[in-house]
Amino acid sequence: MEGIIEEHIISDIINREDKKNEEKLAKVSVPVEKNLLCHLLFFLMGVCHFLPITFFSAANNFWLHKFQNTTSDSSDEVQNRTVLQRYFAPATLMTYAVSSLTFGIFNLTVGNRYKIMNRLIFTLCVESVVFILLTIGVKVNTNNFQITYFFLVLMGYATLQGANAVNLVASMNLFPRFPHKYMNTCLVGQGTAGVLGDILNIMAVGMFNGDITNATLFYFIVGCGVVLLTLVLTTIVSKSSFFILCVSSVPQDFDKTLVPSVKDLKHLFFKLKYAAIMLTYFVLGITLTHPSITALVVSEQHEENTSWARSYFSPVMSFLLSDLGLLLGRVAVSHLPIELSKIERLLSALSTIRTLILIPLVWMCNAQPRSHLPILFPRDYQYGIVLFIFMFTNGGLVNGSLLLIPEKVDKREADMAYTMYGFALSLVHTITSPLGLFIVNVL
C-alpha cells in the first residue's frame, strides 16, 4: 500500500508544472461513448495499482484463521498464536520489498524495450491468474500443510507485486500521451482503491454473518472480477482509433540506453537530501508498524469473543481507518499553500521527532501476544487515535518528499529524479523490511 511510487502525486506535480509554464495538451475531439469507456479504463487501472498491496492485507482475519493452531485445545487463540500467524504480515512486507526492487531494476534497465500496451496486458494477465489461484485456495483445507501454503501465498504476493511494479511504470508512460482529464480519472481510482477494498471486506463479513471463509471467498471473487474486467477493457479500448492516436502521439524510444552517471546521481541526491530523509522515515514507519504490528492488535473485547472483536475490529480499525488516515494526509500536504522547499529543513526535523514518538506509541497498543513491552493503550478508541495520527502523518511524509522534487530540480533533471526516487523507495524497503520480523519479537 504504501511502499510503491505514488503516481497520483507525480501526476499532480506534472499538472502543476504544465500550468506554471502554460503548456497545455492539445484537445482531442472524440465521441462521447469512447470517451466514457476510456475514463472507465483509467479508473480501473488506478484501482488495480493498489489491489496487490491493500486487497489481501485487508483480509487479515482470514490469514489468521488459515494459520491458526489446529492441534491446541486452548480457548485463548490470541495468546497462543502460531509462528506463522505472527510472522505472516512482516513476511509479506519483505516479499513485497524484494520483488519491488527486482522489478524496479528491470524497469530501469530493459523495461523500455517493450511496448507499453504489451507490458500492461501481460502484467494484467499475470495478476488475473494469481488472483484466481489465491481465490481457489480459500476453500482448500490447508491444515495439514500450513507451511507449504504459507510459502505459496508469499510466492503469489511476490508475483503480484512484480507484475504490479511493471504495470505501474507502463501506466505512467501512458499519462503524458493522454489529455490530463484521463490522468485525473486514474487518480480517483488510486485514491479510493484501498478504502473501497476495506469497505467491501467489511460488507462481506456482514453478509455472511462472520463466516470468515465464505466472506473471504466472496471478497476475493470480486477482486478477481475487477482485475479481469480491467484486462478485458484494456484489450478492447486499446484497439479504438482514439486510444491508438493518443498512444502514438509520443514516440516510444525502444533504444534508450542512457544510464545516469554517479556524478549526476550525487548531484541530484544533494539537491533532494531532505526529500530522501522524509522518504526514509515513511518507509521505516511502515516497516515497523503496519501491518507487521497492527495485524496483531486485538480489541479490548477479545476475551468476551464479541462479534466486533472477532470479525470487525481488524478490518475497520487496522485497515479502513489507516487507509483513510493515509489518504487524508496525502491530500492535506498536497494542498499546503506554501512551497515546501522553503521549509524543508523544518519538515525534516519534524519528521524526525514524529517518527521517534509515534512509532513506539503504535507498539504500545494492544498487539498480542507480547512478552516484553507494556500495553499503554488497551482501549479500542486509543488505538484508533494513535493509528490515525500515525498514518495521517505518514501520508504527509510520502507526499511531502515527492512534492519537493519539482521545487528542487529543473525539467531536464525531473525524469532522472523520479526514476531515482522510485528506485530508492524500493531499495529502502528491501533494506528495512527485516525489521518487521524483529519488532514482532521485541513485543
Side-chain angles (χ1 to χ4, degrees):
M1 127 185 89
E2 289 80 0
I4 67 173
I5 302 176
E6 304 291 340
E7 298 95 339
H8 60 295
I9 304 303
I10 295 176
S11 303
D12 186 54
I13 292 168
I14 294 173
N15 283 328
R16 292 185 184 183
E17 291 300 298
D18 284 347
K19 290 178 181 178
K20 288 179 182 178
N21 293 279
E22 297 182 351
E23 298 172 0
K24 298 183 179 179
L25 291 175
K27 294 183 178 179
V28 180
S29 178
V30 296
V32 174
E33 292 79 12
K34 292 183 179 179
N35 195 347
L36 293 176
L37 201 60
C38 197
H39 274 295
L40 177 59
L41 172 60
F42 272 76
F43 176 81
L44 290 175
M45 285 171 54
V47 172
C48 285
H49 288 166
F50 282 84
L51 280 189
I53 301 168
T54 62
F55 197 81
F56 293 104
S57 297
N60 183 56
N61 285 343
F62 171 73
W63 301 120
L64 292 176
H65 170 72
K66 272 291 189 179
F67 301 121
Q68 66 183 331
N69 191 334
T70 59
T71 60
S72 175
D73 296 329
S74 174
S75 59
D76 192 349
E77 296 181 2
V78 171
Q79 292 298 327
N80 289 280
R81 282 179 171 171
T82 65
V83 173
L84 297 182
Q85 286 178 315
R86 295 172 61 193
Y87 292 129
F88 179 73
T92 58
L93 283 180
M94 289 186 63
T95 302
Y96 155 77
V98 174
S99 184
S100 295
L101 179 62
T102 302
F103 285 90
I105 295 173
F106 168 84
N107 287 326
L108 284 172
T109 54
V110 299
N112 59 353
R113 298 181 185 179
Y114 302 92
K115 291 183 177 180
I116 296 173
M117 296 312 300
N118 288 347
R119 280 181 279 164
L120 284 174
I121 293 175
F122 177 76
T123 52
L124 285 171
C125 287
V126 171
E127 291 184 36
S128 298
V129 171
V130 176
F131 259 83
I132 292 172
L133 292 176
L134 289 174
T135 301
I136 293 173
V138 172
K139 296 295 287 186
V140 176
N141 187 341
T142 59
N143 290 342
N144 295 325
F145 54 95
Q146 285 187 346
I147 296 179
T148 302
Y149 182 68
F150 182 90
F151 286 104
L152 287 175
V153 172
L154 291 184
M155 288 176 60
Y157 265 72
T159 305
L160 275 175
Q161 182 50 37
N164 194 50
V166 177
N167 187 287
L168 288 172
V169 174
S171 298
M172 291 176 67
N173 294 152
L174 276 183
F175 293 158
R177 292 169 164 81
F178 285 78
H180 284 315
K181 59 184 178 180
Y182 294 96
M183 186 189 308
N184 293 335
T185 301
C186 190
L187 307 186
V188 175
Q190 292 172 352
T192 58
V195 175
L196 290 177
D198 295 332
I199 293 175
L200 175 63
N201 186 29
I202 295 168
M203 289 175 57
V205 173
M207 289 169 57
F208 291 91
N209 297 318
D211 185 332
I212 295 178
T213 301
N214 287 327
T216 305
L217 179 63
F218 171 79
Y219 176 62
F220 282 11
I221 288 175
V222 174
C224 288
V226 172
V227 178
L228 287 171
L229 178 60
T230 307
L231 172 60
V232 172
L233 202 59
T234 301
T235 305
I236 295 174
V237 176
S238 64
K239 298 182 184 301
S240 69
S241 57
F242 166 67
F243 198 93
I244 294 173
L245 176 63
C246 288
V247 171
S248 60
S249 63
V250 178
Q252 299 182 50
D253 185 0
F254 301 113
D255 297 321
K256 188 186 294 182
T257 57
L258 182 61
V259 178
S261 66
V262 174
K263 182 179 179 180
D264 291 334
L265 293 177
K266 286 183 178 179
H267 174 68
L268 279 177
F269 181 79
F270 179 78
K271 281 188 173 183
L272 301 173
K273 56 181 179 295
Y274 292 110
I277 292 173
M278 295 170 67
L279 172 66
T280 301
Y281 283 142
F282 164 74
V283 176
L284 191 63
I286 292 296
T287 301
L288 293 177
T289 59
H290 186 71
S292 299
I293 301 302
T294 57
L296 299 177
V297 175
V298 297
S299 169
E300 61 185 288
Q301 303 175 12
H302 77 274
E303 293 183 354
E304 290 80 17
N305 197 29
T306 63
S307 176
W308 161 255
R310 184 177 61 255
S311 303
Y312 294 100
F313 175 81
S314 180
V316 173
M317 299 296 289
S318 294
F319 292 93
L320 177 59
L321 186 65
S322 64
D323 283 338
L324 284 173
L326 193 69
L327 177 61
L328 293 175
R330 292 169 177 166
V331 172
V333 171
S334 297
H335 291 83
L336 284 178
I338 187 174
E339 291 185 16
L340 297 181
S341 58
K342 295 181 179 179
I343 56 171
E344 58 182 357
R345 293 187 179 183
L346 174 62
L347 289 176
S348 179
L350 292 176
S351 300
T352 304
I353 298 172
R354 167 259 178 203
T355 301
L356 292 174
I357 293 176
L358 292 183
I359 289 180
L361 291 186
V362 176
W363 295 346
M364 300 303 175
C365 294
N366 198 17
Q368 298 290 343
R370 63 199 301 131
S371 303
H372 303 100
L373 298 181
I375 298 176
L376 299 182
F377 307 106
R379 303 297 184 185
D380 292 354
Y381 78 89
Q382 294 171 333
Y383 169 61
I385 293 173
V386 170
L387 183 62
F388 184 84
I389 294 175
F390 174 76
M391 295 304 290
F392 180 88
T393 54
N394 232 29
L397 280 180
V398 68
N399 274 27
S401 63
L402 274 166
L403 289 169
L404 276 172
I405 294 177
E407 297 181 11
K408 301 294 292 185
V409 303
D410 56 41
K411 282 199 168 186
R412 293 181 299 102
E413 301 171 316
D415 284 345
M416 189 188 303
Y418 288 129
T419 300
M420 186 175 71
Y421 181 95
F423 182 75
L425 188 62
S426 300
L427 182 62
V428 176
H429 260 296
T430 304
I431 294 173
T432 61
S433 58
L435 295 175
L437 295 172
F438 170 75
I439 201 61
V440 169
N441 287 318
V442 170
L443 291 181

